[in-house]
Amino acid sequence: AQSVTQLDSHVSVSEGTPVLLRCNYSSSYSPSLFWYVQHPNKGLQLLLKYTSAATLVKGINGFEAEFKKSETSFHLTKPSAHMSDAAEYFCVVSYLYNQGGKLIFGQGTELSVKP
Amino acid sequence: GAGVSQSPRYKVAKRGQDVALRCDPISGHVSLFWYQQALGQGPEFLTYFQNEAQLDKSGLPSDRFFAERPEGSVSTLKIQRTQQEDSAVYLCASSYGLAGGEDEQYFGPGTRLTVT
């Protein structure tokens, strides 16, 4: 089965320090990969997506992610955390030619940002 | 512009009751998805519509779950004889094109269903 694994359920950083949220996916087919953010009591918002173009993808709010096929990874990074980044982050995979394009979510990583 | 809207935002049902959850997608979006998000988990796919056609319902957990999109716009997710394990947030998402893995899916705020 196609799947995505987020390696940390909770990450805590200090404001102004780098953020790293880790994600690995299964590699049966060429995937599209996404990171979504979910703030409390708000809808899911797309941060960025990879769809077989450039392997380094830049998203909103200073986030970026690098697609590494050899490692089957799609880790999310940000150079300097801000208090407003505190939220739940989901790594998501979609397979064009299998699964019908539906999104398959990881379990989520809760990011806490300390002042 | 208007995003995806869902109603009601909160629903409390007694075990055994039927519920209906509504989704209004972004106007003109062809594809519509329903997901179920249990507490502390990532969303899980339930079903997919392309216009009015339900092309994938592989994620529906039982035959108590039924979804429709009769005119290719508004969709309703119906749960019959609700059980406690149905308690979750139900998310609706729509995308402009056909489900092909690349189009962004825009999510609504969800309906939080609590079955007592």
Side-chain angles (χ1 to χ4, degrees):
Chain A
Q2 318 306 330
S3 66
V4 59
T5 301
Q6 292 184 243
L7 300 174
D8 306 291
S9 59
H10 185 257
V11 170
S12 181
V13 301
S14 297
E15 190 175 21
T17 63
V19 175
L20 170 63
L21 305 183
R22 299 182 294 165
C23 172
N24 287 100
Y25 65 93
S26 62
S27 61
S28 299
Y29 300 91
S30 297
S32 295
L33 291 157
F34 309 79
W35 277 96
Y36 278 83
V37 61
Q38 189 174 41
H39 290 275
N41 299 316
K42 293 191 176 181
L44 285 158
Q45 181 184 19
L46 180 68
L47 277 179
L48 50 79
K49 66 178 180 180
Y50 165 78
T51 56
S52 76
T55 57
L56 183 61
V57 181
K58 294 188 183 299
I60 62 172
N61 300 334
F63 285 94
E64 62 182 38
E66 185 171 8
F67 173 72
K68 292 187 176 180
K69 186 174 182 179
S70 61
E71 298 176 11
T72 62
S73 69
F74 190 59
H75 301 334
L76 181 71
T77 60
K78 182 174 181 178
S80 176
H82 191 272
M83 295 297 292
S84 61
D85 295 329
E88 188 86 17
Y89 290 80
F90 293 98
C91 182
V92 184
V93 65
S94 178
Y95 297 90
L96 174 60
Y97 298 109
N98 190 26
Q99 305 290 332
K102 60 176 170 271
L103 301 181
I104 299 169
F105 285 77
Q107 293 297 299
T109 298
E110 183 182 358
L111 176 65
S112 300
V113 182
K114 297 174 291 187
Chain B
V4 178
S5 60
Q6 294 185 245
S7 60
R9 291 292 311 279
Y10 302 90
K11 176 69 179 177
V12 178
K14 292 186 177 178
R15 189 163 59 95
Q17 281 185 332
D18 297 349
V19 299
L21 312 180
R22 177 187 170 106
C23 172
D24 285 79
I26 295 172
S27 178
H29 277 195
V30 168
S31 296
L32 186 145
F33 299 79
W34 283 97
Y35 295 86
Q36 180 190 57
Q37 185 175 19
L39 188 64
Q41 304 294 317
E44 293 190 356
F45 170 80
L46 293 177
T47 187
Y48 160 63
F49 290 86
Q50 182 185 115
N51 296 308
E52 69 278 3
Q54 188 175 20
L55 299 187
D56 187 346
K57 53 183 180 179
S58 62
L60 296 177
S62 78
D63 58 8
R64 296 185 296 103
F65 286 70
F66 171 76
E68 60 183 5
R69 194 186 185 197
E71 298 179 357
S73 178
V74 172
S75 176
T76 303
L77 176 67
K78 298 179 180 179
I79 308 173
Q80 297 178 324
R81 305 181 303 281
T82 52
Q83 303 295 314
Q84 283 197 313
E85 62 263 28
D86 300 335
S87 296
V89 175
Y90 291 85
L91 298 168
C92 176
S94 69
S95 66
Y96 178 72
L98 305 178
E102 296 192 6
D103 263 1
E104 177 179 354
Q105 292 186 23
Y106 294 85
F107 283 81
T111 294
R112 182 179 297 277
L113 172 65
T114 303
V115 181
T116 61

